[in-house]
């Protein structure tokens, strides 16, 4: 079945570093992908909708310059956390919808900023 | 009030028990999803429903559009079913419309 691959699964880095997270659809084309953030024991919070060939749509309160999204091709979307700080530490997960099928989620990226 | 409410928030069951998790929503929807999130964080989509009932193995999902309510049932529960179960609705439109998530139900099945 359709699979979404997310990389890296886990990253630790120093404050001020920029971190790139990749989300790939492995056997289908995804014109749209979603990026979520999840705090401990909380549900998923939609950050932005990534659109292939156009700008991402950000949810209210999400800083566009902080969380850069690029949907470079029909199978790849990237989320870059720029100049990361400890408060950006979280679990980030992507998903890609397919027509008439359930959403396919990546395995998530656990980001820890020291 | 959240647009998608789940109950219970926490559930502990003994192995073999029949489990029901409920989801109520207050918006118009085109589809409802049941998702399973294991402790490692990965999310698996269990069901996508727009009407009626679906069954997969020991899992059954039902939806009542008129009452804006869905249930996820687990028969003969097993410790490996321990996870967070999340209800999410698609608020109209096509597959690329975003989902609205419930807060999840943490299920622990004890041997």
């Amino acid at each position: 079945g359709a699979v979404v691959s997310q990389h890296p699964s886990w990253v630790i880095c120093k404050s001020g570093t920029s971190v790139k997270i990749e989300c790939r659809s492995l056997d289908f084309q995804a014109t749209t992908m979603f990026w979520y953030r999840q705090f401990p024991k909380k549900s998923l919070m939609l950050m932005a909708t990534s659109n292939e060939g156009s700008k991402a749509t950000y949810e209210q309160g999400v800083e566009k310059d902080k969380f850069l999204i690029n949907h470079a091709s029909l199978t790849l979307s990237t989320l870059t956390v720029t100049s990361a700080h400890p408060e950006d530490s979280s679990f980030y997960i992507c998903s890609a919808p397919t027509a008439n099928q359930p959403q396919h989620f990546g395995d998530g990226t656990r980001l820890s900023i020291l | 009030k959240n647009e998608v409410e789940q109950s219970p928030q926490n559930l502990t069951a003994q192995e073999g028990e029949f489990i029901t998790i409920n989801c109520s929503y207050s918006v118009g929807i085109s589809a409802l999803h049941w998702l399973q999130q294991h402790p490692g964080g990965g999310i698996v989509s269990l069901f996508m429903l727009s009407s009626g009932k679906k069954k997969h193995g020991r899992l059954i999902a039902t939806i009542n559009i008129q009452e804006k309510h869905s249930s996820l049932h687990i028969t003969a529960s097993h410790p490996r079913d321990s996870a967070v179960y999340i209800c999410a609705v698609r608020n109209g439109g096509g597959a690329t419309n975003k989902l609205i998530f419930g807060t999840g139900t943490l299920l622990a099945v004890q041997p």
Side-chain angles (χ1 to χ4, degrees), chain B residues 8-102:
Chain B
Q9 291 188 342
N10 294 281
L11 180 58
T12 300
Q14 294 297 313
E15 184 173 357
E17 285 185 4
F18 180 84
I19 289 165
T20 295
I21 300 171
N22 295 299
C23 176
S24 296
Y25 53 91
S26 58
V27 296
I29 69 168
S30 57
L32 181 144
H33 297 253
W34 280 103
L35 310 171
Q36 180 191 54
Q37 185 172 30
H38 278 281
I43 293 177
V44 174
S45 184
L46 299 174
F47 295 103
M48 184 179 75
L49 293 164
S50 54
S51 65
K53 175 181 175 179
K54 287 190 177 180
K55 184 176 188 294
H56 186 258
R58 295 180 294 106
L59 302 178
I60 302 167
T62 63
I63 188 169
N64 185 316
I65 297 296
Q66 286 73 30
E67 295 185 4
K68 295 189 173 180
H69 181 269
S70 175
S71 292
L72 175 69
H73 305 286
I74 304 175
T75 62
S77 60
H78 191 276
R80 64 175 175 267
D81 297 325
S82 299
V84 175
Y85 291 84
I86 303 169
C87 171
V89 301
R90 195 166 72 219
N91 183 209
T96 55
N97 273 51
K98 59 187 180 183
L99 297 178
I100 304 170
F101 293 88

Side-chain angles (χ1 to χ4, degrees), chain A residues 6-17:
Chain A
Q6 187 172 340
H7 178 80
S9 56
W10 182 63
V11 58
I12 299 175
C13 59
K14 293 181 179 179
S15 186
T17 307

Side-chain angles (χ1 to χ4, degrees), chain A residues 35-56:
Chain A
W35 286 98
Y36 303 93
R37 182 173 181 176
Q38 187 177 34
F39 293 99
K41 300 189 185 300
K42 299 292 185 184
S43 193
L44 299 168
M45 181 190 77
L46 179 66
M47 299 175 66
T49 303
S50 172
N51 304 298
E52 190 272 334
S54 63
K55 291 182 180 180

Side-chain angles (χ1 to χ4, degrees), chain A residues 13-19 66 81-88 112-114:
Chain A
C13 59
K14 293 181 179 179
S15 186
T17 307
S18 290
V19 178
K66 177 72 172 176
V81 183
T82 62
S83 187
H85 290 280
E87 59 266 28
D88 299 322
S112 296
I113 308 298
L114 303 177

